[in-house]
């Protein structure tokens, strides 16, 4: 490896390991070797690398969805804008070395491609955040297609050997996102094995990615381990939430493979123990049952009740009022507001039915064998929290870290 290639390879190795201070020190040492001449392309390039290290650090700490500040006197200082400015800086450096025999031109072209890739991922996260904030269901197929487009567009870009370290972690990030979004899509379709394989795939890639990190330490006495970066922790949290969702959607299938005691123990370790939440609510508020069911009807004007399988129920049985529940869901043409339960009282059987759409064709239903008001806050609060967590809405919204 040539000396110039080795310098840049080591720089991107530090960046990929989250050793941003080492990356900046590495550049400073190189600047000391550069002759003290008027600022030329080489010096401009080294200055750029220092700025890139700062931008990468901000990216890994979820700095890409902060409030954009614009005015007549102030430029857009969002991280996306910073990367856009970087593209312009690289173009100037590239233009400055066109007439000289230098490898800088090739470096600039490769790094420009990487910057484009970063911007495309920022756009993806922003789209996900906006979807969650819109209080509408997440269209996972759109997100899957966007990740696949990003991956395909960058299969043959920033391929210079110097950029191998950062290319590897970029691939890990795209693969984890793709696996998690696909898992959510397959969960909506109640596909057991595909969901399980995708969740496991994301887990193995996260482990491999973490293995590439050599985090810088803080000198805080016994607190020497620097925590993992916010973006990585966010992906871990999303994976944990999806695993929790999987454990609920396939609770009965999983429970048949172990003892009740072991099943409770395993679920208690999850990010959300949804089944236990259903049990606790049913017992505390004397509900007849709490049910999660799905509707995968083919286009038809007549409801086929066999197409409404119960996903999971507590108590674990089909209630005698199931036909009434299915009819009420079929008659509810629109669920306009997420998290807001629909409450219906049947004078015929003296039962109150509370239900909400968790996501397209999946419903949470609570049955009371007495009259309840739609103003009973404990019902609304339970449904709101339960459904919001299943949709991972809070995790998506947390992409915008207002503390930074």
């Amino acid at each position: 490896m040539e000396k110039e290639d080795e310098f840049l390879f080591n720089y991107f190795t530090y960046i990929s390991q989250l050793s941003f201070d080492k990356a900046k020190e590495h550049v400073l040492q190189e600047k000391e070797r550069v002759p003290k001449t008027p600022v030329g392309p080489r010096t401009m390039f080294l200055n750029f690398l220092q700025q890139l290290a700062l931008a990468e650090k901000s990216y890994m700490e979820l700095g890409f969805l902060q409030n954009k500040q614009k005015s007549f006197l102030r430029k857009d200082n969002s991280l996306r804008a910073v990367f856009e400015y970087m593209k312009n800086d690289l173009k100037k450096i590239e233009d400055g070395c066109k007439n000289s025999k230098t490898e800088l031109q090739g470096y600039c072209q490769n790094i420009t491609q990487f910057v484009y890739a970063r911007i495309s991922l920022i756009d993806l996260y922003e789209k996900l955040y906006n979807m969650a904030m819109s209080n509408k269901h997440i269209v996972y197929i759109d997100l899957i297609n966007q990740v696949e487009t990003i991956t395909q567009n960058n299969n043959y870009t920033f391929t210079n050997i110097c950029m191998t370290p950062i290319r590897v972690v970029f691939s890990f990030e795209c693969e984890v996102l793709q696996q998690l979004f696909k898992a959510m899509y397959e969960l909506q379709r109640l596909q057991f094995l595909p969901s399980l394989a995708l969740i496991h795939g994301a887990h193995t890639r996260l482990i491999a990615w973490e293995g590439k990190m050599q985090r810088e330490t803080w000198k805080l006495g016994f607190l020497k381990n620097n925590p993992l970066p916010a973006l990585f922790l966010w992906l871990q949290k999303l994976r944990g939430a999806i695993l929790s969702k999987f454990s609920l959607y396939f609770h009965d299938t999983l429970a048949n493979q172990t003892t009740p005691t072991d099943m409770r123990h395993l679920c208690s370790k999850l990010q959300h123990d949804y089944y236990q939440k259903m049990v606790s609510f049913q017992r505390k508020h004397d509900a007849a049952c709490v049910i999660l069911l799905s509707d995968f009807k083919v286009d038809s004007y007549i409801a086929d009740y066999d197409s409404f399988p119960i996903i999971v129920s507590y108590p674990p049985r089909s209630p005698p009022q199931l036909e009434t529940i299915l009819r009420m869901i079929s008659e509810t043409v629109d669920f306009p507001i997420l998290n807001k339960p629909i409450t219906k009282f049947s004078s015929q059987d003296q039962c109150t039915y509370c239900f909400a759409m968790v996501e397209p064709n999946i419903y949470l239903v609570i049955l009371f064998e007495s009259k309840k008001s739609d103003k009973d806050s404990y019902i609304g609060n339970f449904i709101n929290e339960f459904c919001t967590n299943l949709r991972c809405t809070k995790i998506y919204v947390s992409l915008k870290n207002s503390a930074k």
Side-chain angles (χ1 to χ4, degrees):
M1 187 180 288
E2 296 291 334
K3 192 171 184 180
E4 292 294 326
D5 289 344
E6 185 178 359
F7 160 74
L8 204 57
F9 181 87
N10 289 336
Y11 169 81
F12 280 112
T13 297
Y14 290 134
I15 295 295
S16 68
Q17 294 174 342
L18 311 181
S19 299
F20 302 110
D21 288 343
K22 286 184 179 179
K24 288 186 284 184
E25 289 173 11
H26 185 61
V27 174
L28 283 172
Q29 290 172 1
E30 184 67 14
K31 288 176 82 171
E32 291 175 358
R33 297 197 313 105
V34 177
K36 299 296 189 288
T37 56
V39 177
R42 177 68 180 170
T43 302
M44 291 172 63
F45 182 69
L46 293 175
N47 290 338
F48 169 85
L49 291 180
Q50 289 180 300
Q51 293 301 312
L52 180 60
L54 292 172
E56 278 296 291
K57 184 175 183 179
S58 178
Y59 178 89
M60 292 303 297
E61 291 301 328
L62 292 181
F64 42 74
L65 289 185
Q66 306 320 308
N67 292 325
K68 299 175 176 63
Q69 298 178 355
K70 291 183 179 181
S71 70
F72 291 110
L73 302 176
R74 183 182 297 172
K75 294 180 180 179
D76 180 355
N77 67 350
S78 68
L79 188 58
R80 190 190 192 285
V82 169
F83 278 116
E84 290 285 355
Y85 300 145
M86 284 183 169
K87 288 193 307 184
N88 298 331
D89 293 340
L90 284 166
K91 186 69 171 63
K92 291 177 184 177
I93 298 169
E94 189 180 343
D95 291 342
C97 59
K98 278 184 177 179
N99 299 324
S100 58
K101 292 183 178 181
T102 176
E103 295 177 334
L104 278 182
Q105 194 170 356
Y107 294 154
C108 288
Q109 290 170 354
N110 269 262
I111 297 174
T112 297
Q113 292 164 348
F114 169 68
V115 170
Y116 271 112
R118 269 288 178 256
I119 291 172
S120 65
L121 279 175
I122 290 174
D123 289 341
L124 173 72
Y125 288 121
E126 186 163 16
K127 180 177 182 177
L128 178 58
Y129 170 81
N130 288 333
M131 277 184 174
M133 288 295 292
S134 69
N135 207 29
K136 296 178 181 178
H137 293 292
I138 304 291
V139 184
Y140 284 102
I141 199 68
D142 289 350
L143 295 171
I144 293 167
N145 290 336
Q146 192 168 343
V147 178
E148 289 178 348
T149 298
I150 292 170
T151 302
Q152 291 167 5
N153 289 346
N154 292 285
N155 274 341
Y156 304 104
T157 61
F158 59 100
T159 54
N160 189 298
I161 191 172
C162 305
M163 303 193 70
T164 301
I166 199 68
R167 182 176 175 81
V168 169
V169 297
F170 174 83
S171 297
F172 279 142
E173 183 179 356
C174 289
E175 289 169 9
V176 169
L177 286 167
Q178 187 178 48
Q179 299 271 340
L180 294 179
F181 293 154
K182 282 185 175 180
M184 289 293 272
Y185 175 71
E186 295 296 348
L187 279 171
Q188 288 181 342
R189 299 172 63 238
L190 299 176
Q191 298 297 304
F192 178 81
L193 286 177
S195 302
L196 181 61
L198 289 161
I199 294 169
H200 179 69
H203 177 62
T204 57
R205 284 159 178 79
L206 284 167
I207 289 175
W209 185 1
E210 186 176 1
K212 296 287 182 182
M213 299 178 187
Q214 294 180 3
R215 301 178 296 283
E216 295 166 350
T217 58
W218 293 341
K219 296 178 181 179
L220 295 175
F222 63 92
L223 296 175
K224 291 183 179 180
N225 289 328
N226 195 9
L228 290 161
L231 175 59
F232 187 85
L233 291 173
W234 183 86
L235 290 167
Q236 277 190 328
K237 189 173 184 179
L238 178 58
R239 185 256 172 193
I242 295 173
L243 179 60
S244 298
K245 183 173 181 174
F246 174 86
S247 75
L248 176 67
Y249 281 24
F250 301 105
H251 179 273
D252 291 351
T253 302
L254 296 170
N256 288 334
Q257 299 175 25
T258 186
T259 65
T261 301
D262 285 346
M263 186 64 184
R264 285 194 297 270
H265 178 67
L266 290 169
C267 289
S268 69
K269 293 182 176 181
L270 296 173
Q271 196 166 304
H272 298 287
D273 187 349
Y274 288 112
Y275 189 75
Q276 189 56 44
K277 289 179 186 295
M278 291 172 63
V279 172
S280 298
F281 181 89
Q282 187 271 341
R283 290 176 176 174
K284 182 178 180 179
H285 299 291
D286 197 26
C289 60
V290 182
I291 304 174
L292 199 68
L293 54 81
S294 68
D295 161 20
F296 286 103
K297 296 192 307 293
V298 183
D299 290 340
S300 173
Y301 294 105
I302 301 174
D304 175 9
Y305 292 160
D306 290 336
S307 69
F308 283 81
I310 290 180
I311 300 170
V312 63
S313 172
Y314 189 81
R317 61 175 181 268
S318 177
Q321 300 91 343
L322 181 60
E323 188 171 331
T324 302
I325 292 171
L326 302 181
R327 185 181 68 253
M328 286 182 173
I329 290 176
S330 298
E331 291 172 351
T332 304
V333 179
D334 193 16
F335 287 79
I337 303 176
L338 292 185
N339 306 333
K340 185 176 181 180
I342 295 172
T343 302
K344 293 185 177 181
F345 175 71
S346 170
S347 56
Q348 183 177 354
D349 56 18
Q350 292 295 300
C351 289
T352 302
Y353 301 83
C354 304
F355 51 94
M357 182 184 285
V358 178
E359 48 199 348
N361 300 321
I362 294 182
Y363 307 86
L364 175 66
V365 181
I366 303 174
L367 170 64
F368 294 94
E369 294 178 335
S370 59
K371 188 169 185 178
K372 298 288 181 181
S373 168
D374 56 4
K375 295 181 180 179
D376 287 336
S377 61
Y378 67 90
I379 300 174
N381 290 341
F382 172 78
I383 291 177
N384 178 57
E385 182 182 6
F386 199 88
C387 294
T388 297
N389 287 336
L390 279 175
R391 297 187 200 110
C392 299
T393 305
K394 292 179 181 178
I395 296 176
Y396 299 147
V397 170
S398 71
L399 276 168
K400 192 165 189 176
N401 188 348
S402 58
K404 290 198 173 287

